[in-house]
Amino acid sequence: MLQSFKAAKAARLLDDFRSRFRLMGNTYSATIAGNNYIFTMEPQNIKTIFADRFDDFDAGWQRRRAFAPSIGDVLISADGARWHQQRAMLRPAFKKQLFSDYSFYERDIDRLIEQIPHDSSTIDLAPLFYTHALNLASKLLFDESLATLNPDFGTSSDRFVEAFKNVNNGNQRRLRMGRLLPLMLRDRLYEDSCRVVHEYGDIFVQRALEYRQWWNLNALEEPKGGIKPQERYVFLQEIAKNIDDPRELRNHLLGMLLVGSETTASLLSGCFSILSNRPQLWAELHQKAIHIGVPNSDDIRNFDSLNHVINEVLRLYPILPLFSRMANKDTVLPLGGGPNGTSPVFVPKGTLAMVNTHSLHRRADLFGNDADEFKPERWASLKKMDHWTYLPFSGGPRICIGQQYALTEVTYTLIRFLQVFPTITSRDARPWREVIGISLSNGNGAKVSFDST
């Protein structure tokens, strides 16, 4: 346990896990702070946890308790019948056809690019991408931009963004405490940030409830007063048709905003950070992007070399490097037992199963002896690989509901930047420094420069 804390403090926890797998095998058990754990990077075990024995594993009470003050018991922490009900209710928000209108992205992309120096001066893209992703997610969820990329945006939005970051960080600190959470010192910054985020969310919840009232009374009539008719799918308005509890509506809104912004921002920053160290690859992608025009779904789907880059970034630096599931009954995994680890292994009720996709994605027996190297060209021959060896967005019934949204936003943003900037240069020689929050990110940010000439 002490070794893990030291590794986490040194931003080397994922490397520490890899060392343990090399020493103890692809699946091993441990007891930490009174919790029973089983760690695995074995595809058959992962498939069992995520799919074959899905009903044997929950998100677990520790996650619900950790997130309770900020977002309550919503999709990412719910279990059982409640999880199934919420998943069915939220799924329409992320149907593929909802992202076919790329004007949804374009204005915000233009605003983002306006913030970028074109004269080779250094800029850290990470905070810009965070606010950009939060801005787009807010438009999808409650049909109103936070305007966080506008230099003239209001102080209330600015305050919300800062508080939202503090809440995310606080949630992760609470989650890492596990059973020891009751012993955690009072975190006033977290408490104050939760209040700010709740107050801001309540503004949009109230508008959604007004929409619900109008919709229930005269859904076929023209709306009156300040209520805006629904022109496209709006997450909060849709779920307000079925939920009238303001607190539950706010929890759903903030829960989706949390996972829908940070993960996308982390992937964007990772892509740009890595490409900035490969100017020749950027130049090659630029030559292809300038012939596209305004990107559409075919452009995004058929830009193979760019999609390979994104796949390779997700392989080496998966935005979700660790997944936890708690056994809700005594159960079994197919591999990990016996002297050679090839026999089934017993998993007692209450055990936390930790799936490590970071280590899985770097297995030489699955991805070759160059598995630690960034080689996007490998994906030209990996298209038909076993699904359970590459899991950037989890798998099974709990697979990330916003996967298509995140990939579309990232690909569209990359294409637009490639069209505008012929060159990119890294302005930070330091190696990747892991920060594990809701998603994996580079603690050094994404410091680069562009030249549009």
Side-chain angles (χ1 to χ4, degrees):
M1 179 177 178
L2 181 60
Q3 181 180 340
S4 295
F5 276 122
K6 288 182 177 178
K9 188 175 182 179
R12 295 187 57 83
L13 182 61
L14 295 177
D15 286 339
D16 183 64
F17 276 127
R18 293 188 72 198
S19 298
R20 292 174 185 269
F21 281 125
R22 282 192 289 266
L23 179 65
M24 305 177 74
N26 293 343
T27 301
Y28 67 91
S29 301
T31 301
I32 304 173
N35 290 319
N36 293 323
Y37 288 86
I38 185 163
F39 299 88
T40 188
M41 62 168 183
E42 179 56 58
Q44 289 188 54
N45 284 347
I46 296 171
K47 181 173 180 285
T48 299
I49 295 167
F50 284 169
D52 294 345
R53 291 182 178 265
F54 173 79
D55 291 334
D56 291 359
F57 295 90
D58 292 334
W61 61 267
Q62 293 184 6
R63 188 186 301 183
R64 285 193 294 277
R65 185 173 67 174
F67 291 174
S70 59
I71 59 174
D73 184 13
V74 294
L75 187 66
I76 61 174
S77 59
D79 286 314
R82 180 171 174 80
W83 176 84
H84 283 283
Q85 178 188 27
Q86 292 190 18
R87 180 84 175 190
M89 179 181 65
L90 300 179
R91 185 185 298 275
F94 294 94
K95 285 182 179 179
K96 186 175 180 179
Q97 60 265 32
L98 295 176
F99 312 112
S100 58
D101 179 10
Y102 293 101
S103 62
F104 176 81
Y105 303 98
E106 188 60 27
R107 186 170 65 174
D108 291 274
I109 294 290
D110 286 342
R111 184 180 293 169
L112 172 62
I113 291 175
E114 288 174 1
Q115 310 300 309
I116 308 298
H118 291 224
D119 59 357
S120 298
S121 55
T122 301
I123 184 170
D124 186 359
L125 294 173
L128 276 182
F129 285 151
Y130 182 84
T131 49
H132 169 67
L134 194 58
N135 207 41
L136 281 177
S138 69
K139 287 174 63 177
L140 172 69
L141 295 175
F142 45 85
D143 199 28
E144 185 160 333
S145 169
L146 290 175
T148 49
L149 286 172
N150 188 328
D152 300 320
F153 67 79
T155 55
S156 60
S157 298
D158 194 14
R159 185 168 171 245
F160 171 82
V161 173
E162 187 62 32
F164 198 69
K165 292 178 182 178
N166 294 335
V167 168
N168 287 345
N169 293 334
N171 283 339
Q172 293 309 303
R173 289 193 298 271
R174 292 168 58 84
L175 184 60
R176 284 193 291 267
M177 290 296 291
R179 292 180 182 273
L180 302 179
L181 180 59
L183 302 179
M184 186 176 181
L185 295 176
R186 184 176 182 182
D187 189 340
R188 294 189 181 276
L189 176 62
Y190 177 73
E191 293 174 1
D192 291 343
S193 297
C194 283
R195 279 194 290 272
V196 171
V197 168
H198 289 169
E199 290 170 2
Y200 204 87
D202 286 341
I203 296 172
F204 300 101
V205 167
Q206 182 58 39
R207 294 176 187 174
L209 289 174
E210 292 172 359
Y211 175 85
R212 169 193 169 90
Q213 184 179 28
W214 165 81
W215 185 81
N216 284 336
L217 290 174
N218 46 13
L220 298 179
E221 296 181 12
E222 193 70 22
K224 300 176 182 179
I227 300 174
K228 184 171 63 174
Q230 185 173 341
E231 297 175 351
R232 63 174 179 82
Y233 186 97
V234 179
F235 169 84
L236 195 55
Q237 289 182 355
E238 283 298 316
I239 66 171
K241 294 176 181 178
N242 301 306
I243 301 173
D244 60 2
D245 182 343
R247 184 169 183 172
E248 186 173 357
L249 280 172
R250 185 187 69 200
N251 287 342
H252 282 300
L253 168 65
L254 296 177
M256 298 305 290
L257 196 60
L258 184 151
V259 297
S261 56
E262 184 165 321
T263 52
T264 305
S266 296
L267 179 53
L268 275 170
S269 294
C271 288
F272 278 81
S273 178
I274 289 173
L275 284 170
S276 69
N277 285 289
R278 294 161 179 82
Q280 182 57 41
L281 176 56
W282 179 277
E284 294 170 3
L285 294 170
H286 166 74
Q287 289 301 319
K288 296 177 181 179
I290 58 178
H291 297 292
I292 287 178
V294 178
N296 58 39
S297 57
D298 289 335
D299 298 322
I300 289 174
R301 183 175 58 254
N302 297 326
F303 202 156
D304 288 341
S305 53
L306 181 57
N307 290 325
H308 293 167
V309 166
I310 297 171
N311 287 345
E312 188 72 346
V313 172
L314 284 169
R315 185 184 69 83
L316 287 172
Y317 305 101
I319 52 177
L320 304 171
L322 300 167
F323 295 90
S324 65
R325 297 287 187 269
M326 180 175 284
N328 57 36
K329 64 183 71 171
D330 291 346
T331 188
V332 175
L333 296 181
L335 295 173
N340 299 319
T342 56
S343 301
V345 60
F346 175 63
V347 181
K349 179 181 178 179
T351 299
L352 279 168
M354 302 296 297
V355 172
N356 192 314
T357 56
H358 179 269
S359 295
L360 169 70
H361 290 176
R362 291 171 180 248
R363 281 180 53 170
D365 59 326
L366 299 177
F367 292 95
N369 293 329
D370 58 357
D372 284 329
E373 300 177 31
F374 180 81
K375 289 190 173 181
E377 61 270 18
R378 77 174 75 243
W379 289 93
S381 59
L382 286 177
K383 291 182 178 180
K384 295 183 179 180
M385 66 183 301
D386 181 359
H387 167 71
W388 297 101
T389 63
Y390 175 67
L391 296 164
F393 293 95
S394 185
R398 277 190 181 264
I399 192 169
C400 176
I401 197 170
Q403 174 180 350
Q404 185 62 43
Y405 167 76
L407 290 174
T408 300
E409 181 179 337
V410 168
T411 309
Y412 193 93
T413 302
L414 275 164
I415 291 174
R416 293 289 287 108
F417 268 75
L418 285 163
Q419 290 173 333
V420 174
F421 300 107
T423 62
I424 186 173
T425 304
S426 173
R427 295 298 186 182
D428 192 343
R430 293 173 296 177
W432 182 287
R433 182 172 67 86
E434 71 179 47
V435 174
I436 305 174
I438 290 293
S439 59
L440 174 65
S441 61
N442 184 352
N444 294 325
K447 297 179 179 64
V448 304
S449 65
F450 295 96
D451 191 336
S452 61
T453 58

